[in-house]
Amino acid sequence: MRQLEGALRSYAWGSRTALAELSGRPSPSAHPEAELWLGAHPGDPAHVIEESGARSLRDVIDEAPLHELGERSIAAFGERLPFLLKVLAAEEPLSLQAHPSAEQAREGFAREDAAGIPLDSAERNYRDASHKPELVVALTRFEALAGFRDPHRTVRFLDALGVAQLEPYVGLLSGQPDPDGLRALFTTWITLPQQALSALLPPVLDGCVDYLSRPDAAGAEFVPEARTVLELSEGYPGDAGVLAALLLNRITLEPGQGLFLDAGNLHAYLHGTAVEIMANSDNVLRGGLTPKHVDVPELLRVLDFDSVDVPLLAPDATGRVGEVAYATPAPEFVLSRIDLDASDAGAGVSVTIEPDGPQILLCTSGAAKLGCGAQSLVLERGGSAWISASDNEVHIQACADETQIFRAGVGRVTT
Ligand SMILES: [Zn+2]
């Protein structure tokens, strides 16, 4: 058990306050801070704090993979940490994106290798051969677009905007309100020539403004949807992703709620702070709302057009005091949350976890004392710890009321 120091990533869409406040640094920060990476990703590994100083978690694992990861994780995922845990703090929307399935990732990686596209090229879609399921759990209210909306509802939304120029497109979807109709409409919009896009977007935005200005707008069904379209167009004027947003579920997560994004789910995070865990992969196919590489044909290959009411995940009790877990089908990771009060500790209650593979603990509220054999460690708010597969039982005791700790580990591979 060792203290872990995350790698802070600065992207333009990040918050100047959320991560600084989480870790008790001066707020607002000088630069936008978007993500805190807690993992062994080669792009930006976290560091374990040892007596001799800080060492990259990646180096620590590479030097003693069996000791750090254990047999079970290595048998399933090889000699690398299979998940990446993050804190994500979005002030502005992130790109519109989807991730490939395991099979698509293997095929795409081999194909781009065969085509001689260097791994570090900006044109490269598949930087590894893995899928990238991801789970976000909101720390604050968290806004997102995810998955295609039921086409019948989308037809209602587009009709409600009352935009004449949209009529042929609404007709396309109302004539075929199913995954094929969604595929046809999304493909049409995302591949519109810039001139046609520039002609269509202004009346759509006017339609959204009109819709929001109607006296009954407060009670109207699609207020957040229309607002989001306007916000996206402010950040990315003339971007086809603004039209795509008309087709997606507009989701609000309350703190503690989770959202699991499986392969092919088109999504964009809009605003808020969340804990995010994902398979350790970089495979992202973007569809817009970004200055980064966009590959529309490849995105269309992986997208899932089955519309879904994206279910928000409520966690289930685990049987451990104060601990709830977010169930997903991803084998690379499990994520649970432990909520404890200092008074629980006073009553002699502490949570004991058995390392069954590598784990990362992240304190998002309060503070806790961790005990492992003869070692002890205080986890302050914003702090994290690395627990290797070879560590003994870890006892967690809250030092403050409303202490909250997220616990990430390796999932179960079912064969
Ligand atoms: Zn994603």
Side-chain angles (χ1 to χ4, degrees):
M1 178 182 73
R2 280 156 286 177
Q3 196 190 330
L4 192 65
E5 205 166 85
L8 199 55
R9 310 275 294 180
S10 181
Y11 301 121
W13 50 261
S15 161
R16 286 173 190 269
T17 55
L19 294 180
E21 282 165 16
L22 178 68
S23 50
R25 287 178 289 109
S27 167
S29 56
H31 303 284
E33 297 174 342
E35 296 181 339
L36 182 70
W37 284 19
L38 297 159
H41 193 281
D44 215 344
H47 284 73
V48 294
I49 310 302
E50 299 176 335
E51 271 172 29
S52 51
R55 273 206 306 155
S56 145
L57 179 59
R58 188 162 191 237
D59 292 346
V60 168
I61 291 173
D62 283 351
E63 277 166 32
L66 186 61
H67 178 88
E68 300 294 335
L69 301 176
E71 265 171 43
R72 184 173 78 81
S73 182
I74 290 177
F77 304 107
E79 295 186 344
R80 64 189 202 117
L81 188 64
F83 63 82
L84 174 61
L85 180 69
K86 294 180 180 177
V87 184
L88 186 126
E91 187 63 38
E92 305 287 339
L94 283 69
S95 63
L96 184 67
Q97 58 181 247
H99 308 292
S101 68
E103 194 185 329
Q104 288 160 343
R106 272 195 300 276
E107 185 274 324
F109 183 76
R111 174 160 39 89
E112 292 188 339
D113 256 3
I117 306 171
L119 269 182
D120 57 358
S121 161
E123 309 297 305
R124 182 102 191 190
N125 290 311
Y126 298 96
R127 292 171 196 276
D128 53 71
S130 305
H131 66 165
K132 187 179 180 263
E134 59 192 28
L135 162 69
V136 289
V137 175
L139 291 177
T140 64
R141 181 172 276 200
F142 191 82
E143 315 281 357
L145 293 168
F148 287 94
R149 187 191 301 112
D150 176 341
H152 298 96
R153 278 195 75 213
T154 295
V155 168
R156 273 214 309 283
F157 176 34
L158 299 180
D159 276 341
L161 296 180
V163 177
Q165 290 86 337
L166 275 178
E167 274 167 23
Y169 304 108
V170 181
L172 198 161
L173 193 59
S174 60
Q176 198 178 13
D178 60 20
D180 290 334
L182 279 171
R183 176 183 288 275
L185 179 53
F186 178 78
T187 304
T188 303
W189 277 352
I190 204 84
T191 57
L192 270 188
Q194 194 60 47
Q195 208 183 353
L197 193 56
S198 304
L200 180 57
L201 275 172
V204 167
L205 301 178
D206 287 347
C208 289
V209 171
D210 277 357
Y211 179 80
L212 292 171
S213 66
R214 276 175 229 158
D216 62 345
E221 191 178 355
F222 299 106
V223 167
E225 283 81 355
R227 279 208 189 110
T228 297
V229 169
L230 293 176
E231 281 161 15
L232 291 175
S233 132
E234 256 171 52
Y236 296 93
D239 192 309
V242 175
L243 288 180
L246 292 169
L247 305 178
L248 299 179
N249 291 302
R250 174 69 175 71
I251 289 168
T252 300
L253 302 181
E254 297 299 332
Q257 284 186 313
L259 172 65
F260 176 69
L261 296 163
D262 212 342
N265 183 313
L266 187 62
H267 57 281
Y269 298 144
L270 300 174
H271 186 85
T273 305
V275 171
E276 186 183 27
I277 189 163
M278 65 201 71
N280 192 4
S281 161
D282 267 338
N283 288 329
V284 181
L285 297 158
R286 296 183 185 85
L289 310 176
T290 176
K292 288 188 188 169
H293 176 59
V294 169
D295 186 335
V296 168
E298 195 59 34
L299 176 72
L300 290 170
R301 283 162 67 107
V302 309
L303 277 190
D304 179 359
F305 287 94
D306 285 328
S307 64
V308 277
D309 277 334
V310 177
L312 300 185
L313 275 180
D316 306 312
T318 61
R320 280 193 192 83
V321 178
E323 189 182 48
V324 291
Y326 295 83
T328 79
E332 285 86 357
F333 57 76
V334 282
L335 185 69
S336 64
R337 198 187 77 211
I338 299 167
D339 289 279
L340 290 175
D341 280 336
S343 48
D344 295 341
V349 179
S350 71
V351 183
T352 301
I353 56 173
E354 307 80 25
D356 172 28
Q359 300 185 44
I360 292 175
L361 301 181
L362 163 69
C363 178
T364 51
S365 170
K369 194 174 157 191
L370 308 182
C372 176
Q375 289 177 288
S376 72
L377 184 69
V378 173
L379 211 54
E380 305 278 3
R381 179 164 189 256
S384 51
W386 169 251
I387 296 168
S388 83
S390 309
D391 277 317
N392 294 320
E393 286 184 345
V394 176
H395 305 279
I396 304 174
Q397 203 161 36
C399 308
D401 282 342
E402 293 182 27
T403 291
Q404 185 171 76
I405 290 171
F406 281 84
R407 176 160 85 98
V410 180
R412 286 274 159 202
V413 181
T414 46
T415 47

